[in-house]
Amino acid sequence: MAKIQGIDSHIVIIGCGIAGIGAAQKLTKDGFKNIKIIEATGRNGGRIKTTTFGNVIVEIGANWIHGPSKANPVFQLACEHGLLDAQAMSKENQALDVGGHPSFQSSFYSSSGKKLTPDLTEPVSQLFLTLLEKSREFFQTEKEPYPSVGEFLKKEIAKHVVEWKDDAETKKLKLALLTMMLKLECCVNGTHSMDLVGLGAFGGYKTLPGLDCTFPGGYEGLIDAMMKGLPEGIVSYNNPVKCVHWNGSFRGANSPEQTFPVMVECENGETVAANHVIVTVPLGYLKEHYETLIKPPLPLSKVHSIQRMGFGTNNKIFLEFEEPFWEPDCEVINLIWEDETPLADVKPDVNQFWMKKIFGFTVLHPPERYGHVLCGWIAGHESEYMETLSDTEVKNSMTEVIRKFSGNPSITPKRILQSKWHSDPYTKGSYSYVAVGCSRSDIENIVQPLPLQETDTKPLQVLFAGEATHWSFYSTTHGALLSGWREADRLITHYTQSP
């Protein structure tokens, strides 16, 4: 009887990203009939966003399947729908375990226009990766010698510098190279600085085996395939939610004789009554709107965890060229500013030198598909400042940087495209990280459904999903998808187990 009653429950999902779509799919497959997704924008996919750049397809949002192997549900779905190439689906590819840091064919250029040699770059890169791995070990020991990953790395680097026997010029280049690697790590973690990333919780993030791969036809192909499995008309687009009112007694527009504990109020005045609401909005949006988005107000334990968790910006800059200035096998171009060191506590002039935060460019392969396109990566405040600039200003700065590092004064990009995730009113950034002072319990607090007391006669009124709510896969699309499935399973289990 309980399961039949559950099938008739009214469930609203806020947000049509992969978490919301995943929840809707699972509930629909289990027989739930009254499901509605409310989406603020005119499109599906959230932070999965594919677009055209000239004649090619590029990813404005999510780029890779991280850890494409059997344990990754995004990879499994992509395989089921035939969205990947043979190499990505091969057993060899799935078996590779790179610990979240794939070994790309990299070129290292210095700001004086020199190409650095492997005998300099390889030992330094290895040192950084070793220290990074060491910083993950504190999660197991539950001891934290420093509050942040950044502080730990810098203290360890300082110990190694003392032992270096190189001349002053080589030491300077090695330190500049380590600074570049810290910028890269900021992009990986979606943070302004590794000084903001908590050391004790850092190792809680889990990597999956498999060499990261991309979607030849675009990541949104997965979203399109998933949407085909949902009933037509399930999504209400361009419909921002103003407030989720819970712990009440609301009458539904289509069933006035029935009362519901939750009512979703939209900005256009529409109201939707529900038994359960799954909130899948990005943490960046939640940080900015939690005071007005949910009423009665969120419990303090949840508020404090939302405030403590980190959420930053990682943007991309796509550049197209007539001819490549890089080697045919090059996969990453790293930029080493020779005047930088991780050991100096310098506050950069963000407005004037924002472009120095770019760690480098990934080369879009294969050229037969993409032509000659680079993707620059920039995180933090500099990334947010870049969003305020015009394409022309960004293009001019990029042209200057590339000419400086390549030593070629005539290189000019044909066209440019930049992402602007911080300015997006419904994301306010890119993805989450576990900040200084955070622990797994903060993610658990955010996940906890409302009302918190399980004795309540109307449980599971407001549930929470999205990448920031997965304790070991935060910041990833597979974390987001698994979180949507988790909340759908919570409701399915509730109605299956109810007397």
Side-chain angles (χ1 to χ4, degrees), residues 4-62:
I4 294 166
Q5 180 196 336
I7 284 167
D8 289 327
S9 292
H10 290 245
I11 301 168
V12 172
I13 297 167
I14 300 174
C16 198
I18 198 168
I21 297 167
Q25 266 199 328
K26 198 169 254 281
L27 290 165
T28 303
K29 278 181 185 163
D30 210 69
F32 286 79
K33 296 181 291 191
N34 299 310
I35 300 166
K36 182 174 184 135
I37 301 174
I38 301 179
E39 168 57 40
T41 73
R43 51 176 290 276
N44 308 313
R47 285 167 279 170
I48 293 174
K49 188 176 183 182
T50 306
T51 191
T52 52
F53 177 54
N55 298 320
V56 301
I57 288 171
V58 294
E59 305 292 2
I60 289 290

Side-chain angles (χ1 to χ4, degrees), residues 184-429:
L184 162 56
E185 208 52 36
C186 286
C187 289
V188 171
N189 288 273
T191 183
H192 171 64
S193 165
M194 293 307 288
D195 292 351
L196 302 175
V197 179
L199 181 59
F202 189 54
Y205 177 86
K206 295 283 180 280
T207 59
L208 295 171
L211 190 60
D212 293 0
C213 64
T214 57
F215 288 80
Y219 225 125
E220 271 191 30
L222 177 64
I223 297 298
D224 295 341
M226 290 176 74
M227 288 302 295
K228 282 175 185 160
L230 293 177
E232 213 165 310
I234 193 172
V235 186
S236 173
Y237 295 104
N238 298 307
N239 196 6
V241 168
K242 185 179 179 184
C243 185
V244 177
H245 303 270
W246 63 287
N247 230 13
S249 183
F250 305 102
R251 296 201 179 274
N254 300 326
S255 44
E257 71 291 341
Q258 194 178 350
T259 59
F260 298 87
V262 195
M263 184 187 71
V264 178
E265 178 191 357
C266 301
E267 284 183 8
N268 64 7
E270 180 193 356
T271 58
V272 185
N275 300 98
H276 312 282
V277 173
I278 304 176
V279 177
T280 74
V281 301
L283 179 63
Y285 185 84
L286 203 53
K287 278 175 171 287
E288 202 161 280
H289 297 280
Y290 69 83
E291 289 176 302
T292 55
L293 184 65
I294 297 172
K295 287 183 181 173
L298 290 171
L300 267 183
S301 60
K302 201 179 269 285
V303 168
H304 289 159
S305 292
I306 288 167
Q307 290 169 337
R308 272 195 296 264
M309 272 291 284
F311 191 83
T313 306
N314 180 28
N315 272 318
K316 301 177 183 179
I317 313 158
F318 293 98
L319 302 162
E320 186 183 11
F321 298 86
E322 287 286 359
E323 293 297 330
F325 62 86
W326 54 91
E327 301 295 323
D329 63 344
C330 178
E331 293 175 299
V332 181
I333 296 166
N334 297 286
L335 306 180
I336 319 299
W337 292 87
E338 292 171 33
D339 60 342
E340 293 184 333
T341 168
L343 305 182
D345 194 17
V346 180
K347 274 214 183 299
D349 182 333
V350 169
N351 295 15
Q352 192 177 351
F353 298 115
W354 65 270
M355 73 295 295
K356 290 181 80 171
K357 191 67 173 289
I358 299 168
F359 85 80
F361 303 91
T362 47
V363 182
L364 271 58
H365 278 290
E368 296 77 29
R369 185 190 300 154
Y370 293 107
H372 311 302
V373 177
L374 298 180
C375 176
W377 299 81
I378 180 169
H381 303 328
E382 292 86 351
S383 177
E384 291 162 13
Y385 174 73
M386 181 188 75
E387 295 186 22
T388 67
L389 304 175
S390 68
D391 278 359
T392 304
E393 288 171 303
V394 174
K395 185 181 175 184
N396 290 343
S397 291
M398 288 298 92
T399 303
E400 203 178 308
V401 166
I402 286 166
R403 287 177 178 178
K404 183 182 184 70
F405 280 80
S406 67
N408 184 335
S410 62
I411 295 174
T412 307
K414 269 169 61 179
R415 59 167 65 89
I416 186 171
L417 175 68
Q418 55 172 315
S419 64
K420 296 185 177 183
W421 286 108
H422 182 69
S423 317
D424 186 314
Y426 301 111
T427 57
K428 301 306 294 176

Side-chain angles (χ1 to χ4, degrees), residues 13-26 45-48 62 64 66 71-75 77 205-206 208 219 222-223 226 278-283 311 430-432 443 447 464-489:
I13 297 167
I14 300 174
C16 198
I18 198 168
I21 297 167
Q25 266 199 328
K26 198 169 254 281
R47 285 167 279 170
I48 293 174
W64 288 283
H66 293 294
N72 189 323
V74 170
F75 175 69
L77 281 175
Y205 177 86
K206 295 283 180 280
L208 295 171
Y219 225 125
L222 177 64
I223 297 298
M226 290 176 74
I278 304 176
V279 177
T280 74
V281 301
L283 179 63
F311 191 83
S430 300
Y431 39 81
S432 63
I443 296 175
V447 170
F464 297 85
E467 54 83 10
T469 71
H470 197 290
W471 76 272
S472 57
F473 297 141
Y474 51 86
S475 81
T476 66
T477 51
H478 54 278
L481 178 58
L482 285 166
S483 75
W485 287 355
R486 178 193 67 219
E487 297 312 308
D489 279 332

